[in-house]
Amino acid sequence: VSRKTNGVYVRGLNLAFKNVPKDDETPSGKIQKEMPIHVTNVALIDPSTNRPTKVRLESYQDPTTGKREKRRYSLATGTYIPKKMDLSYQRVWKDSDFDTTPEMVNAVTFETAPGVPPFPEDLMREVKNRYKKHY
């Protein structure tokens, strides 16, 4: 997905030939490249019919936890369409020297004093006044 151009790259669709210099890898001088498809020309697949469908968003409250979330439902059949979680990046996670240790995460580094604001009052006045020009 390219958010900048609102394009979606679908593997195996919208292929175009691109001319490149001839070398050992490309003796013909042409390669196939996937081109983006605009977001409005892509539809979700209804899991019950395996056909493209339009989607409506509906508020849902989980009865066990009470959490509210927006869910996608097919307009044609009313089937719930779950979002696929992409966890492929977790396979390449490795601990390194730059990672923060759990002890440092749990350490208290700042304690507020009672009755003393965390920021100076003049700074808070400047932040609150949106229309004042700051040069």
Side-chain angles (χ1 to χ4, degrees), residues 9-69:
Y9 292 89
V10 181
R11 190 177 304 130
L13 288 181
N14 204 20
L15 297 174
F17 283 99
K18 181 177 179 186
N19 293 324
V20 294
K22 292 183 181 181
D23 59 0
D24 295 336
E25 293 178 10
T26 56
S28 67
K30 292 184 179 183
I31 59 170
Q32 272 192 328
K33 182 180 176 184
E34 293 170 352
M35 301 303 290
I37 301 170
H38 197 267
V39 174
T40 58
N41 296 328
V42 179
L44 287 174
I45 301 293
D46 187 347
S48 60
T49 61
N50 286 335
R51 293 183 48 85
T53 182
K54 292 185 179 180
V55 175
R56 77 173 188 277
L57 286 177
E58 212 172 273
S59 184
Y60 172 78
Q61 185 169 1
D62 190 7
T64 56
T65 61
K67 275 189 161 183
R68 295 186 67 81
E69 63 181 15

Side-chain angles (χ1 to χ4, degrees), residues 107-119:
V108 177
T109 58
F110 177 76
E111 293 185 16
T112 59
V116 178
F119 292 105

Side-chain angles (χ1 to χ4, degrees), residues 114-134:
V116 178
F119 292 105
E121 289 183 23
D122 58 339
L123 178 65
M124 289 304 292
R125 270 195 303 274
E126 284 185 24
V127 172
K128 285 181 184 176
N129 189 354
R130 306 185 307 202
Y131 302 108
K132 182 179 178 183
K133 293 183 180 179
H134 303 284

